[in-house]
Amino acid sequence: MALFNVFFSIFFAIFTVFGAVDPADAPAAVTSVTLDCPAQIQMDITDTRSIPLILSGSSAALEGLELYADGDQILTLKDVTVNDDCMTIVIAPTGEGTTDLFVANDNVESNHIQITVVDSARIAAEEAAKKQEQQQQEQAQAHSTVWIPKSGKRYHYVKDCSGMKNPTQVSIKEAIRRGYTPCKDCVG
């Protein structure tokens, strides 16, 4: 469940080595941490999201803070920035789904946020395909019967196409069974 703890630990080690936090000067523990964002977030799979973490005090200890997500295949940690009393994490989706995200250490746990990742392009393509299929079904139902001439080899949707005189209405299956082919003008 500690999806990002390795990255956070490495980040803290680098942060300390470069002198931004002297371990002797750092406070013993973070007393509070808040994910400064809505409790529920919906993201597209192509987006990234910055989430500020509000830490207690201007030089709150970073050691031991871990980012947890219950959906390891849904999010990845892209970046972490720290300034004064705020840390910002940047997350990016790796798959669709919903996950619960929070930050914690031995002493404190942040608020939980629910992140839902959707693939808008996939959803739009599926909806377009469904709409096209529905239109084709409606068109097929609308043209379940056709007109056939007394002489000729083509069936028609339009009764007076090609100047037909006294055409007969039959099911499209019957017209095909009799060897008729679609009219290039009214059937397409």
Side-chain angles (χ1 to χ4, degrees), residues 33-162:
V33 59
T34 303
L35 296 171
D36 192 20
C37 62
Q40 294 182 335
I41 297 173
Q42 181 168 321
M43 297 176 64
D44 187 76
I45 199 160
T46 60
D47 294 341
T48 58
R49 177 78 183 229
S50 295
I51 300 176
L53 281 71
I54 308 300
L55 307 171
S56 62
S58 61
S59 59
L62 300 175
E63 187 171 11
L65 279 179
E66 296 179 2
L67 184 62
Y68 294 89
D70 60 8
D72 291 355
Q73 291 77 32
I74 297 173
L75 296 173
T76 187
L77 182 65
K78 294 300 253 184
D79 194 18
V80 177
T81 58
V82 178
N83 57 24
D84 295 328
D85 61 348
C86 184
M87 173 189 290
T88 301
I89 59 172
V90 179
I91 56 173
T94 56
E96 289 184 277
T98 300
T99 187
D100 186 50
L101 187 73
F102 64 98
V103 176
N105 68 10
D106 291 339
N107 302 318
V108 67
E109 182 173 305
S110 74
N111 55 317
H112 291 230
I113 59 171
Q114 183 181 57
I115 299 178
T116 302
V117 178
V118 296
D119 186 344
S120 298
R122 179 194 56 76
I123 292 169
E126 287 175 358
E127 288 174 355
K130 185 176 180 179
K131 184 176 180 179
Q132 182 179 11
E133 182 180 335
Q134 184 179 13
Q135 288 173 340
Q136 288 171 344
Q137 288 174 352
E138 289 171 0
Q139 186 178 21
Q141 288 173 350
H143 298 292
S144 61
T145 60
V146 293
W147 298 96
I148 57 173
K150 299 215 183 290
S151 63
K153 303 273 186 190
R154 307 234 183 240
Y155 63 84
H156 303 266
Y157 288 157
V158 179
K159 183 177 180 178
D160 60 355
C161 181
S162 302

